[in-house]
Amino acid sequence: AQSVTQLGSHVSVSEGALVLLRCNYSSSVPPYLFWYVQYPNQGLQLLLKYTTGATLVKGINGFEAEFKKSETSFHLTKPSAHMSDAAEYFCATYTGTASKLTFGTGTRLQVTL
Amino acid sequence: DAGVTQSPTHLIKTRGQHVTLRCSPISGHKSVSWYQQVLGQGPQFIFQYYEKEERGRGNFPDRFSARQFPNYSSELNVNALLLGDSALYLCASSLASGVPYEQYFGPGTRLTVT
């Protein structure tokens, strides 16, 4: 069954530094992969998605992720962190034939001055 | 355009009571999914409905039920509430069922069971 694993429950970076949030997937078929962001006391917002085609996916707010089949990874990056990026980030994949999203455990990003 | 809306925003119930949560999808979306997010964890899939039919069910007890109406809005019902049902309940809508339709989430209903 398809699943995702997020490495690191908490990541802290300085403002202006590179953001790297890690996600590895487990799938016997080509996966559909997503990154969502959740700000405090809010729902989930889609940052970007990988379905097929180009392996480097650009999303909103300057985030991007690269699908690497050889490493079974879909890490999320942003060249320069802003204070407003502080939030919880979830990697997710579709499981089964229905639109069932399976989420990772989340990574809380802290941005410091 | 309005996004996914959920009501109520917050809810406090007592153990053993029943609760109904409501969701209105984005206009034109025919599929609604429900997720439970316990504090500190990722969302867990509960149900998916498409064209008023159940298309998927997660590993939740029969106390949880849902339905979808002709206007594609949806209700999630939970009977005999337990303390462990305290969570943020998220509704997501998509154009249709199945991949690769992306899901758009509402702000959630925070349920507290005392």
Side-chain angles (χ1 to χ4, degrees):
Chain A
Q2 292 93 324
S3 65
V4 290
T5 301
Q6 291 184 242
L7 303 176
S9 59
H10 289 84
V11 170
S12 181
V13 300
S14 300
E15 192 174 36
L18 171 71
V19 175
L20 172 61
L21 305 182
R22 301 177 186 273
C23 173
N24 288 89
Y25 69 89
S26 171
S27 176
S28 57
V29 298
Y32 292 91
L33 296 164
F34 306 83
W35 275 100
Y36 283 87
V37 61
Q38 186 175 36
Y39 298 100
N41 299 315
Q42 294 188 25
L44 299 169
Q45 181 182 12
L46 180 66
L47 278 176
L48 49 82
K49 64 177 181 180
Y50 170 78
T51 54
T52 58
T55 57
L56 182 62
V57 180
K58 294 187 183 299
I60 62 171
N61 301 338
F63 284 94
E64 62 182 36
E66 186 171 9
F67 174 72
K68 291 187 176 181
K69 186 177 179 180
S70 61
E71 298 178 7
T72 62
S73 69
F74 189 60
H75 301 334
L76 181 71
T77 61
K78 183 175 181 178
S80 178
H82 294 164
M83 295 296 290
S84 59
D85 294 327
E88 187 91 19
Y89 292 80
F90 293 96
C91 181
T93 187
Y94 272 139
T95 302
T97 55
S99 300
K100 172 186 174 182
L101 280 171
T102 297
F103 288 86
T105 51
T107 297
R108 181 165 298 278
L109 175 66
Q110 180 183 19
V111 182
T112 59
L113 289 172
Chain B
D1 287 342
V4 178
T5 59
Q6 293 185 243
S7 62
T9 304
H10 294 87
L11 202 53
I12 300 175
K13 290 286 189 178
T14 304
R15 278 178 296 176
Q17 286 188 317
H18 163 270
V19 68
T20 298
L21 310 180
R22 296 178 174 83
C23 171
S24 292
I26 292 171
S27 178
H29 285 194
K30 298 182 178 181
S31 178
V32 169
S33 298
W34 288 95
Y35 293 81
Q36 180 196 64
Q37 185 179 20
V38 174
L39 194 63
Q41 298 181 20
Q44 298 289 319
F45 174 78
I46 310 176
F47 287 110
Q48 193 220 13
Y49 277 78
Y50 175 61
E51 292 282 16
K52 294 166 287 182
E53 291 188 1
E54 183 182 300
R55 289 298 186 96
R57 173 186 283 257
N59 187 23
F60 281 81
D62 292 343
R63 299 184 295 107
F64 288 76
S65 64
R67 56 179 175 168
Q68 187 177 33
F69 299 99
N71 66 354
Y72 303 109
S73 66
S74 177
E75 283 183 354
L76 174 70
N77 295 282
V78 186
N79 293 323
L81 285 166
L82 303 174
L83 293 179
D85 296 331
S86 296
L88 180 68
Y89 289 85
L90 295 163
C91 173
S93 76
S94 56
L95 280 170
S97 174
V99 300
Y101 297 102
E102 60 190 69
Q103 298 187 25
Y104 296 84
F105 284 81
T109 293
R110 183 159 301 281
L111 172 65
T112 301
V113 182
T114 62

